[in-house]
Amino acid sequence: MRIRIEVALPAALVLSFALSAPAAATAASPAPVLPTCRESSLKVAAAVSGTPETVRISVTNDGRQTCAVDRIPTVVFGDLDGPALPVPEGESGPYPVPAGRTVHAAVRTLDPAATELRVVDRLTVAGDPGHRGRTFDAASLGAPDGIRVWEPVTTWWHRSSEAADAALERHTH
């Protein structure tokens, strides 16, 4: 005849074992974190837009794998303090850029209702606030007398320049 031994564990002890189980056993693992794009693998561009006081910017991932830029482009005007503000408002976060792909944003340099303005000779664009960025002189952006600036805003990155233009229109009117 077999002898059967039963051990009764208090409910609190069973619960403590369940709560200390590895997270992988109780939940799906989080998505892998994308590396930040190296500045040397990004091609940064800026060009005039068909809309007054608007510049189109882009970054292309020339690397071999998907990486992330900040979802809010860093756009600085000459020696003025601070970058263009994002529209819509939001906080920094990663934005994936597949290898060989380009992402786009639109920048409004001058609020149409502005009663004041500054004029700068250059604009610097970076895909990540930790990058130095690329500087474009005013003449290359179709403003030989300087870039007019007051309360500049930038869209988040988008998959096309048309989507960036539409976002700027939507969030500034």
Side-chain angles (χ1 to χ4, degrees), residues 71-72 85-91 154-156 158 167-168 170-171:
R71 70 178 168 189
I72 301 169
L85 296 176
V87 290
E89 289 182 21
E91 295 184 21
T154 181
T155 65
W156 296 10
H158 293 272
L168 186 63
R170 186 171 54 254
H171 293 290

Side-chain angles (χ1 to χ4, degrees), residues 32-42 59-72 74 92-99 126-133 157:
V33 176
L34 286 174
T36 299
C37 296
R38 292 181 356 178
E39 188 166 13
S40 63
S41 68
L42 293 178
V59 293
T60 301
N61 177 0
D62 284 339
R64 295 182 186 171
Q65 65 181 11
T66 298
C67 58
V69 293
D70 194 288
R71 70 178 168 189
I72 301 169
T74 301
S92 294
Y95 188 85
V97 185
D128 189 89
H131 294 170
R132 293 183 66 167
W157 293 114

Side-chain angles (χ1 to χ4, degrees), residues 4 13 36 43-44 63 91 110-111 136-137 140 142 167-168:
R4 200 164 142 185
L13 187 56
T36 299
K43 177 183 173 189
V44 179
E91 295 184 21
L110 182 67
D111 185 331
F136 301 88
D137 66 30
S140 72
L168 186 63

Side-chain angles (χ1 to χ4, degrees), residues 90-108:
E91 295 184 21
S92 294
Y95 188 85
V97 185
R101 298 290 304 267
T102 302
V103 294
H104 308 266
V107 179
R108 185 196 69 200

Side-chain angles (χ1 to χ4, degrees), residues 111-137:
D111 185 331
T115 57
E116 299 180 49
L117 66 90
R118 302 283 186 267
V119 178
V120 298
D121 63 349
R122 65 194 179 286
L123 163 102
T124 302
V125 178
D128 189 89
H131 294 170
R132 293 183 66 167
R134 179 173 172 202
T135 300
F136 301 88
D137 66 30

